Amino acid sequence: LIELVESGGGLVQPGESLRLSCTAPGFTSNSCGMDWYRQAAGKQREWVSRIMSDGITQWADSVKGRFFITEDRAKDTVYLQMNNLKPEDTAMYFCRTLPRVGPCLSDWGQGTQVTVSS
């Protein structure tokens, strides 16, 4: 299994920005894609975005136009740039490689908490 490590979360005020990191050893060499999810306290896990191995991205309507993805292939790292954060973005954020089979298989990491509050 690829061991996923999320980082970069924290407490910010509405309108501010934050960049999350997801490290996934083997992500680049195995041409994996990456999903981002989030789960607010007491709520169902929500899919946020996806980047495919060819660089094509997909976004949930709730974050479209505010969040962006970049990669550092040499570091097997995917970054989630979160701009104009809103209180409703408060959640634990997780990444997950895909496809969920073969060399790209991974399990959930510990996540990183993002809290947007005044």
Side-chain angles (χ1 to χ4, degrees):
L1 296 177
I2 292 177
E3 183 176 321
L4 303 171
V5 180
E6 301 96 338
S7 63
L11 174 63
V12 297
Q13 295 185 335
E16 294 183 340
S17 298
L18 203 59
R19 189 178 74 164
L20 306 184
S21 298
C22 173
T23 59
F27 171 79
T28 298
S29 63
N30 291 303
S31 299
C32 304
M34 184 71 75
D35 280 329
W36 283 95
Y37 295 86
R38 66 186 182 186
Q39 187 167 24
K43 295 188 176 181
Q44 187 176 358
R45 185 176 62 231
E46 174 190 19
W47 175 82
V48 174
S49 68
R50 172 174 292 179
I51 183 167
M52 304 300 295
S53 60
D54 60 3
I56 299 297
T57 56
Q58 297 171 300
W59 300 95
D61 289 340
S62 58
V63 305
K64 190 177 300 181
R66 297 189 297 121
F67 291 8
F68 302 91
I69 289 179
T70 58
E71 297 176 273
D72 186 337
R73 297 180 184 273
K75 296 181 178 180
D76 282 323
T77 299
V78 174
Y79 302 98
L80 181 65
Q81 179 65 47
M82 310 165 69
N83 299 321
N84 191 25
L85 284 162
K86 303 176 180 180
E88 52 262 43
D89 294 319
T90 296
M92 185 74 74
Y93 283 73
F94 300 88
C95 59
R96 190 81 180 270
T97 49
L98 58 92
R100 295 179 183 177
V101 65
C104 296
L105 181 64
S106 65
D107 203 350
W108 298 106
Q110 67 178 38
T112 185
Q113 178 67 38
V114 173
T115 302
V116 185
S117 176
S118 298

